[in-house]
Amino acid sequence: MKLIDCHCHLGYGKDSQDPDAVLRRARTAGVVGFVNVGTTAETSAQAIESASQYADVWATVGLHPHDATNGLDAIVPLISRPNVVAVGECGLDYHYDHSPRVVQRDVFAAQIALAKQHGLALVIHTRDAWDDTFDILDAEGLPDRTIFHCFTAGPVEARKCLDRGAYLSFSGVVTFKNAADNREAAALCPTTRLLVETDSPYLTPVPYRGRPNEPALVRIVAEAIAGVRGVPTVAVADWTFRNTVVAFGLPADLG
């Protein structure tokens, strides 16, 4: 069984761990690929550096809505660097409003355009902003490969994403007691549009809550989705492996 963590933050934040040790534990758990996600110019550059060090790690370059006021000038030159497979994570976050909403919307639209210009996938973060997220995507047009990262909503939002041709990436949230709607979305997602991630070091799945998340635990996400769908975990691993290869343009012979 081979898994890919399609969204992690290696060495990121106050709970950062030694990337070498984190990757070793994940590989032992059957994880054969890692998409290391940037949220600022600094973390995007770090993701690119990690991708240059490890053959099974790829980078994204993006500006998170929390940091939208920083502007894209420092981001744009990084997009054409080797091993960059996506623009993002980018989008809208009206829960915290760390950046003014009008700035968030403008920067999100600009990153959609960058993904299309460079032929890269687009990784979307949206929180408490579904209507504006869909309005901007509809106005700008989705890139061919668009991923709703850490999809935490329910079947209504899932269908709207899927109707637009996007992928849904599920995280440890699918294991949470109060996430019945999210599990329903995971059950209805077509097998060709399903991805798994950790968003580590955040959103640690049950039963490991209380400790930093890490890519090795993406297997728990796959197991939870398998349980919801009534299929073997290896089936979810196979589906999500193939989908991640296509969505991010990764080598098909990983692992």
Side-chain angles (χ1 to χ4, degrees):
M1 183 165 64
K2 298 191 296 186
L3 288 157
I4 301 174
D5 185 352
C6 80
H7 193 111
C8 60
H9 302 280
L10 298 174
Y12 187 91
K14 65 181 180 62
D15 293 326
S16 64
Q17 300 167 284
D18 173 28
D20 285 331
V22 167
L23 291 170
R24 281 198 301 271
R25 288 193 292 270
R27 293 170 187 136
T28 300
V31 185
V32 299
F34 310 83
V35 179
N36 193 15
V37 174
T39 59
T40 63
E42 180 183 7
T43 59
S44 295
Q46 290 170 354
I48 293 168
E49 177 62 22
S50 71
S52 73
Q53 295 175 6
Y54 306 103
D56 52 2
V57 175
W58 288 266
T60 81
V61 170
L63 189 61
H64 195 284
H66 289 347
D67 302 289
T69 53
N70 291 345
L72 291 170
D73 288 350
I75 294 290
V76 173
L78 300 175
I79 293 175
S80 58
R81 296 283 297 277
N83 302 313
V84 173
V85 295
V87 173
E89 63 183 280
C90 60
L92 306 176
D93 194 311
Y94 292 175
H95 183 78
Y96 290 108
D97 281 326
H98 288 326
S99 292
R101 293 183 179 185
V102 64
V103 177
Q104 291 188 45
R105 291 191 288 267
D106 288 346
V107 170
F108 180 32
Q111 289 181 91
I112 295 170
L114 286 170
K116 293 165 69 175
Q117 176 187 342
H118 291 270
L120 295 172
L122 178 74
V123 178
I124 296 174
H125 168 110
T126 183
R127 187 170 185 186
D128 296 346
W130 283 106
D131 288 344
D132 280 0
T133 297
F134 289 134
D135 286 348
I136 292 169
L137 286 169
D138 291 345
E140 299 295 325
L142 276 71
D144 291 338
R145 297 167 290 132
T146 297
I147 299 98
F148 280 88
H149 128 75
C150 193
F151 183 83
T152 57
V156 173
E157 295 84 0
R159 291 188 180 96
K160 290 180 179 180
C161 296
L162 294 166
D163 286 347
R164 289 167 170 81
Y167 293 87
L168 303 182
S169 180
F170 291 88
S171 68
V173 171
V174 78
T175 70
F176 294 179
K177 183 178 180 180
N178 63 351
D181 281 356
N182 192 233
R183 286 187 284 276
E184 187 176 347
L188 69 82
C189 184
T191 60
T192 56
R193 292 288 166 177
L194 182 68
L195 303 174
V196 288
E197 65 171 86
T198 59
D199 199 20
S200 57
Y202 313 111
L203 299 176
T204 308
V206 175
Y208 298 100
R209 302 290 289 157
R211 63 177 247 190
N213 200 3
E214 58 181 272
L217 299 182
V218 75
R219 186 185 186 110
I220 304 299
V221 179
E223 289 173 351
I225 294 172
V228 167
R229 298 181 70 113
V231 299
T233 303
V234 68
V236 175
D238 287 347
W239 300 335
T240 58
F241 177 91
R242 290 196 298 268
N243 295 341
T244 307
V245 164
V246 173
F248 289 94
L250 306 184
D253 58 354
L254 280 174

